[in-house]
Amino acid sequence: MSVYDTFNYPAVNPETACSMGLSVSEFRLAEKILGRTPNYVELGCISAMWSEHCSYKSSKLHLRKLPTKGENVVFGPGENAGVILADGDICLCFKIESHNHPSFIEPFHGAATGVGGILRDVFTMGARPIAAMNSLRFGELNNAKTVSIMRGVVSGIAHYGNCFGVPTVGGEAVFHESYAKNPLVNAFALGVVREKSIFTAAASGAGNPVIYIGSKTGRDGIHGATMASGEFGKSSIEKRPNTQIGDPFKEKLLLEACLELMQTDALVGIQDMGAAGLTSSAFEMAGRAGSGVVLELDKVPVRESGLTPYEIMLSESQERMLLVAKKGREAEVQAIVQKWDLDASIIGRVTDDGLVRLLWHGEETASVPAAPLSDAAPVYDRPYKKPEGFDTALPDIAVPKDLNSVFYRLIASPTIASKRWIYEQYDHMVLAATAVLPGGDAAVVKIPGSKKGVALSSDCIGRYCYLSPRKGGALAVAESARNAAAVGARPAALTNCLNYGNPEKPEIMYQLVEGIEGIAEAAIALNVPVVSGNVSLYNETEGEAIFPTPVISMVGLLNDAEKHITSYFKREGSTVIAIGDFPNRIDASHYLEFIHRTVKGEAPEVKLNFHKTLIDFMADAEDVLSAHDLSDGGLAVALFEMTIKNRIGLSAELIPSARADALLFGESPMMIIEAEGENTIARLEKFGLPYKIIGKTGGDTLTIKAGREIILNIEIEKAAVIYEKIITELMS
């Protein structure tokens, strides 16, 4: 009896392929590549490797438009994470990835394993993680389901990051009904590595042993990559078996074992077993090297009996790595791994025939060419078109008479309110390198072995991308760059997580294409290459798509981490200056969305030349005491947020506008700075930046005049209580 008969696998036909997420045409392509019909195990491997999550088959054509090269870029897209030079041979390694679908099904474990996966992407490159962030999207906090999802997600992130021992230093959380049935959990990690110590993922050298290390394999996460490549329906909760379970303490041991192994010269290549598990790591390592591998699946460490070759290949059990070592060094590798109380098993060898061959007790159960699955997956030029009848026209909205009341309602919006309830659950001081804590425009972390610092920000306004997809993508880059500049850093490179709906719908594909082109335009103009990233599609439940949300995580560099700029007023009597164009409309604003319950109008103008000049100005701004980016809630909210930390007020005077609500709550890419002396004014004029002195710090209120009329007069202490406690109250 053959292995195939032993496990009673179903017959393979187009219907079987469709049940695994492949189309009939993809099934026929697989038959053409193999020259025969694949067996069940082979079909499982092919379906995982050709899933949207692993192959990027709907986005790859357009991702080529992104700028990926730069003078400081060491590794761009294609490896586990991107790498840039920071100071001499000290490099920064970073990436962001989505764990959206698992986090809806099982919020705690889905979010936790998202953190674990992104940390492995970083230390697989030889880098020690020194910082983590997250970008979160939930429905409105007015129902028990959303509260439950958010509580689980935040707890999962805190559990994994805190136990592993990496500081979670920043991020964002946004609330809108479009994310109610499809929350977004995007996890970012950054590590530090010397250039000569960077490792890549390639299985080269015929005869070299392939070694499995880490946790044992179980049934959790089987076909997780396929699950993440489709829409959800009413029965999505039944997909819980597709969600992985993580162990951060085991991951910490895995980190130390890997970094110790990398100090030897025994390793040839290393790859995290992430999406699609052993399948993706084996095929990708062989594909990159143009080699092949033979794997003896009965030698894979398992934590439960009865696992089949199919289950072993497609399990996404966490905290596992696949290594290729130099022949003859197997005992040395195993000794180091076992010292860290981890499994280490030789499960195969590298070959030169270009095939991934799977054995079960000596009998071949699958034989598939590596390169076509890892490099030649189908690439689709999917049709796209602007939605017809998409009405963005603003309704006729009167200016509210009581703008103070509007302000108090806005700062009680969870999207604007303090995220203290979230970030206080995270350890942001472990490793003692965090220079700017969560809650500001960007985090700042000291780079070990250097006086330099790294600024980290994460941004995207989904309603901009919904109303104006191209401008929304560009504005996400611009805002993230602006936030890095606000702490005195020069943006150096970015990683992105492109969260969209079903690409098979031309209107959704239009959002994706336009968003990528907007990101490309801004990244080129601001000289920030895209060095890594992730595409998360099919973020739809019961046919309802999320707002298009291309999250941008920006990495900036400060010459001196100790000389960072804060986002709150430092002293009384300082001059406050607004840099940029004042908002004069309520289009696409959070004010319009939250107060008037409508998302209409056009996204703000991007003005990339302005941003480039602003970055140059802020990168050498020792005369600037504090700075804050204008975003959700407009000028009034930005100024208020600068008063909170030290309870230092402001009396501001603005030029009257046709709409006082637009002046206060409309949104325009701006920067507010606190300065002292004439040097700042002289530099602003030298750079040719548009600016206006709007007032002086002092007192215990935020008072804003338009000409002679007071249009806003807020008690800081009263407002601060609302701002800082509302999410805690909603979560309880």
Side-chain angles (χ1 to χ4, degrees), residues 49-111:
M49 291 300 295
W50 287 2
S51 68
E52 191 73 59
H53 191 74
C54 290
S55 72
Y56 293 179
K57 57 192 175 188
S58 296
S59 58
K60 188 177 291 186
L61 184 70
H62 301 284
L63 292 174
R64 294 167 185 161
K65 301 170 185 175
L66 297 173
T68 59
K69 299 184 184 301
E71 59 180 341
N72 290 334
V73 176
V74 179
F75 282 102
E79 282 293 339
N80 286 292
V83 182
I84 63 169
L85 287 168
D87 186 9
D89 70 337
I90 299 176
C91 297
L92 301 176
C93 175
F94 55 93
K95 189 181 182 184
I96 188 170
E97 281 236 3
S98 64
H99 234 226
N100 305 335
H101 287 61
S103 299
F104 175 58
I105 297 168
E106 222 314 322
F108 180 90
H109 292 296

Side-chain angles (χ1 to χ4, degrees), residues 421-476:
W421 183 89
I422 297 175
Y423 64 70
E424 282 191 341
Q425 298 186 50
Y426 305 149
D427 186 339
H428 40 259
M429 291 305 296
V430 64
L431 304 181
T434 309
V436 174
L437 303 180
D441 288 85
V444 176
V445 177
K446 300 171 187 175
I447 299 174
S450 169
K451 67 182 275 188
K452 287 189 173 184
V454 55
L456 304 172
S457 65
S458 187
D459 297 282
C460 179
I461 296 180
R463 62 181 179 276
Y464 291 175
C465 302
Y466 170 72
L467 294 168
S468 311
R470 182 185 292 255
K471 281 202 290 185
L475 283 163

Side-chain angles (χ1 to χ4, degrees), residues 202-210 268 285-286 289-294 324-328 330 348-355 357:
S204 58
N208 281 333
V210 176
V268 175
M285 290 184 80
S291 64
V293 294
V294 173
V324 174
K326 293 178 180 176
K327 190 174 182 179
E330 297 90 339
R349 67 184 187 281
V350 178
T351 64
D352 58 6
D353 59 9
L355 299 173
R357 293 191 292 127

Side-chain angles (χ1 to χ4, degrees), residues 116-144:
I118 199 65
L119 289 169
R120 287 195 301 280
D121 281 340
V122 166
F123 71 74
T124 299
M125 300 287 291
R128 180 175 289 277
I130 63 167
M133 293 195 302
N134 51 75
S135 179
L136 310 176
R137 301 289 188 282
F138 302 104
E140 296 181 357
L141 286 178
N142 57 6
N143 64 83

Side-chain angles (χ1 to χ4, degrees), residues 599-660:
V599 177
K600 296 289 185 180
E602 286 286 327
E605 293 303 314
V606 190
K607 295 192 175 180
L608 295 171
N609 285 337
F610 162 77
H611 281 85
K612 191 172 188 306
T613 306
L614 180 64
I615 288 167
D616 291 338
F617 171 82
M618 291 298 298
D620 186 28
E622 293 187 6
D623 52 325
V624 172
L625 297 175
S626 64
H628 189 29
D629 161 57
L630 186 151
S631 184
D632 287 314
L635 186 62
V637 168
L639 292 172
F640 165 68
E641 288 174 336
M642 297 184 80
T643 71
I644 296 175
K645 175 79 172 180
N646 291 324
R647 300 298 199 266
I648 296 174
L650 171 69
S651 179
E653 186 170 329
L654 309 178
I655 298 172
S657 169
R659 293 189 64 111

